[in-house]
Amino acid sequence: MRERMLFLSARSHTPGDREGDIRIENFLNMLLERFDIDLLEYCYHRRETQILRSPALTVHQVKRPASTRRSLLFPLNRLRRDASMIGNDKSLRAVITEMCSQHAYSHVFVSYAMLGNGLDLVASLLPGAVIVTDARRAGGIRVQSRATGKRGISTGYRKLNDALIRREERRLMNKTSLLLAASEEEALSFKALSFADAGKVHVVPPYINLSEPPYAAAGDTAKENSIVLHWDMHSTEGKNAALLFFKKVYPLIRAAVPDIRCCIISRAVHAEVAAAVRKDSSISIISEAIQTADYIRRARAVVASCCEDCGAQSSILEAWALRTPVVSSLKGSEELICEPGRNILLAGTTAGTADHLIRLLTTPELGSIIADQAYRTLSRHYAADGVKAKLLSLV
């Protein structure tokens, strides 16, 4: 008999958080093989989400009211900011209480955006349930990196935020039965917080199903003299990264490789980006999602944005699965197992990015070597079967 799980999620709680949405979808896909799941989704009134369809999945939505309050210590990390607001929503707490009284849940999954008082609530309502938490730390990493090097009053804010984050995460580790990190780096940072709870921390990375189209036949297509820009260009960060690329990087590439073609792949493209590239006939915007794999497969290189929440991680894995080399930055690839110069090319400057792309365009054999190494890394660490087997063995 299948067990029943309560899955608490705030999918698309941030419009630009593509990685968070993909991670939630991956967890649902894997856990549905073993559990009947009641998905309680907390979402904004104007945010429509794509929910997986399965006989084992029942979806309950609670509309999240627009918040007009601003934190005095903004920006705090996402874990604490979202958790504090969600925990104080009376309508959400009432729905969770009612669902727990109606069903016998053996497991509760709490996504990273639903931590805080919501975790305390399910722990008190279901004392015998196995509580699994997804503690994605991207927000905390970003805030700390932005604060580095700043002086004055921001230094005090940063120290206070760091202390709040550590306290919140130690409390989280104590309350949970199983804590799932997205990378080895995240897992080690959690383990360092509490020796007693370190055994609860395990890594469940993103994955790609290599047995399904379009990845199964990715090595059969000849490469063209083109590059693909693959990230979310609708968000402010993604827009700025695209404008910088076309202002500083692309002119250098066109000067070295005049017949270059550039394809933009994004869920949505900001109007400023569209206006900036409209006059250049060598640049095209791909709007049909069904065609994106073909463009990536035929390209000499994929450029993954270094900006947070632009989908760089998923873009890198998709390019690896389609056997196309990737050019990114340390920030864009920090949660993946990357070996610069072997399975990926990393650049810290616009000139470095241009140099890497020109090398891939002018020396096709280099791209083949990097793409083969990347595919081996993907098969070893990010293939769907291996990740799914690990997660199901843990829960």
Side-chain angles (χ1 to χ4, degrees), residues 227-302:
I227 61 174
V228 168
L229 272 60
H230 192 10
W231 68 80
D232 179 12
M233 298 187 190
H234 185 67
S235 65
T236 301
E237 295 84 357
K239 175 201 70 174
N240 292 338
L243 293 176
L244 179 64
F245 180 87
F246 288 114
K247 181 179 180 180
K248 297 287 186 68
V249 179
Y250 196 60
L252 299 176
I253 300 173
R254 287 213 68 183
V257 188
D259 61 339
I260 181 67
R261 301 285 301 177
C262 178
C263 300
I264 294 175
I265 296 177
S266 175
R267 293 184 300 172
V269 177
H270 196 279
E272 291 184 33
V273 177
V277 305
R278 192 174 295 125
K279 298 179 181 179
D280 193 330
S281 60
S282 69
I283 305 172
S284 57
I285 299 175
I286 311 305
S287 57
E288 294 293 332
I290 195 172
Q291 299 177 350
T292 59
D294 291 333
Y295 282 93
I296 294 173
R297 185 187 291 114
R298 295 197 302 263
R300 295 283 185 196
V302 167

Side-chain angles (χ1 to χ4, degrees), residues 22-332:
I22 292 174
R23 187 160 173 82
I24 294 300
E25 292 172 2
N26 286 346
F27 277 125
L28 283 170
N29 270 320
M30 292 186 286
L31 293 170
L32 281 169
E33 290 199 3
R34 176 177 167 184
F35 296 95
D36 291 327
I37 297 179
D38 286 326
L39 170 62
L40 178 58
E41 185 184 45
Y42 193 56
C43 56
Y44 288 105
H45 284 277
R46 297 182 180 179
R47 288 290 294 168
E48 297 295 332
T49 57
Q50 301 297 319
I51 302 296
L52 300 170
R53 300 299 175 189
S54 170
L57 179 65
T58 304
V59 181
H60 310 266
Q61 286 192 335
V62 177
K63 295 300 183 180
R64 179 175 179 174
S67 177
T68 58
R69 296 180 300 170
R70 292 189 177 182
S71 174
L72 177 63
L73 301 181
F74 183 86
L76 295 177
N77 88 316
R78 176 180 300 160
L79 174 67
R80 182 170 178 79
R81 183 171 67 252
D82 283 10
S84 61
M85 290 194 298
I86 288 174
N88 293 327
D89 190 323
K90 294 181 180 180
S91 61
L92 177 65
R93 294 173 64 85
V95 173
I96 294 175
T97 302
E98 181 180 358
M99 292 181 68
C100 290
S101 65
Q102 292 179 351
H103 302 285
Y105 295 111
S106 62
H107 292 69
V108 180
F109 188 102
V110 186
S111 67
Y112 74 98
M114 293 286 286
L115 302 173
N117 293 339
L119 180 62
D120 297 331
L121 182 61
V122 295
S124 63
L125 293 173
L126 301 169
V130 176
I131 298 180
V132 184
T133 54
D134 170 33
R136 182 167 166 260
R137 299 189 71 199
I141 294 173
R142 284 198 300 274
V143 170
Q144 292 173 21
S145 65
R146 289 171 183 168
T148 302
K150 293 184 178 181
R151 299 180 179 179
I153 194 171
S154 63
T155 302
Y157 283 168
R158 177 172 59 85
K159 291 181 179 179
L160 177 58
N161 289 338
D162 290 345
L164 293 174
I165 291 168
R166 289 192 298 270
R167 185 186 70 177
E168 193 80 5
E169 290 177 341
R170 279 194 295 267
R171 188 189 67 82
L172 164 65
M173 292 180 67
N174 182 258
K175 294 281 186 179
T176 191
S177 307
L178 179 65
L179 189 146
L180 305 179
S183 67
E184 290 290 347
E185 181 183 5
E186 285 187 2
L188 289 173
S189 65
F190 274 108
K191 290 179 180 181
L193 292 172
S194 172
F195 178 79
D197 295 320
K200 300 177 180 178
V201 182
H202 296 271
V203 179
V204 177
Y207 68 83
I208 292 285
N209 194 336
L210 296 174
S211 63
E212 294 184 354
Y215 309 118
D220 301 334
T221 303
K223 296 292 185 181
E224 299 176 353
N225 212 30
S226 64
I227 61 174
V228 168
L229 272 60
H230 192 10
W231 68 80
D232 179 12
M233 298 187 190
H234 185 67
S235 65
T236 301
E237 295 84 357
K239 175 201 70 174
N240 292 338
L243 293 176
L244 179 64
F245 180 87
F246 288 114
K247 181 179 180 180
K248 297 287 186 68
V249 179
Y250 196 60
L252 299 176
I253 300 173
R254 287 213 68 183
V257 188
D259 61 339
I260 181 67
R261 301 285 301 177
C262 178
C263 300
I264 294 175
I265 296 177
S266 175
R267 293 184 300 172
V269 177
H270 196 279
E272 291 184 33
V273 177
V277 305
R278 192 174 295 125
K279 298 179 181 179
D280 193 330
S281 60
S282 69
I283 305 172
S284 57
I285 299 175
I286 311 305
S287 57
E288 294 293 332
I290 195 172
Q291 299 177 350
T292 59
D294 291 333
Y295 282 93
I296 294 173
R297 185 187 291 114
R298 295 197 302 263
R300 295 283 185 196
V302 167
V303 185
S305 173
C306 65
C307 297
E308 302 87 355
D309 284 344
C310 292
Q313 185 181 118
S314 57
S315 299
I316 292 173
L317 292 180
E318 185 175 7
W320 284 3
L322 294 168
R323 299 179 185 269
T324 300
V326 176
V327 176
S328 186
S329 69
L330 184 60
K331 280 187 178 181

